[in-house]
Amino acid sequence: MYEAMLSENNIRLNACFTSKDEAIRACGELLLKTGYIEPGYVDAMVQRDSISTTYVGNGVAVPHGTEAAKPLVKKTGLAIIQVPGGVDFGKGRIAKLLIAVAAQGNEHIDLLTNIAQICIDDAKLNKMLKAQSTKEIMDVIRTMEKQ
């Protein structure tokens, strides 16, 4: 399932950002570069976080676009950015892992459920935070498919 939604080209390690907007835009650029979204979706991702934070806890943020931007999604996809130094999503919420979602229809519900499983599994989350290669991130994601 994830092979069609996430490739090593959609993963960036050891990133550093000065703001959450910069971090969210970087997520959107990965989705755009790999053909999952139209350019306007990136702005919708920033807008969505300004409406309600996309920080979900445990050092993880899940940037995604607004409902109105769904037509800008070409196909369902993910992008993952590891931010070892963290990026402030406001009120002291520091995200060290960004899992961006672009989904058509209701496909995002299953995706978000699986992302939540990563967030509450400290061992998997730590593997992703400490990964030294995109392959290591993909290996953790693949374990989600087997559950």
Side-chain angles (χ1 to χ4, degrees), residues 76-93:
T76 298
L78 298 172
I80 296 175
I81 300 182
Q82 178 198 69
V83 188
V87 60
D88 191 347
F89 268 67
K91 299 182 182 175
R93 296 176 289 217

Side-chain angles (χ1 to χ4, degrees), residues 6 23 33 43 61 63 70 73 79 84 113 126 131 144:
L6 179 68
K33 181 178 75 172
D43 289 334
K70 274 193 183 272
V73 176
T113 300
N126 282 329
M144 299 307 298

Side-chain angles (χ1 to χ4, degrees), residues 3 6-8 11 134-142:
E3 297 297 322
L6 179 68
S7 73
E8 291 189 38
I11 299 171
T134 55
K135 181 189 178 307
E136 289 177 63
I137 299 272
M138 290 296 292
D139 288 346
V140 173
I141 296 296
R142 284 185 190 106

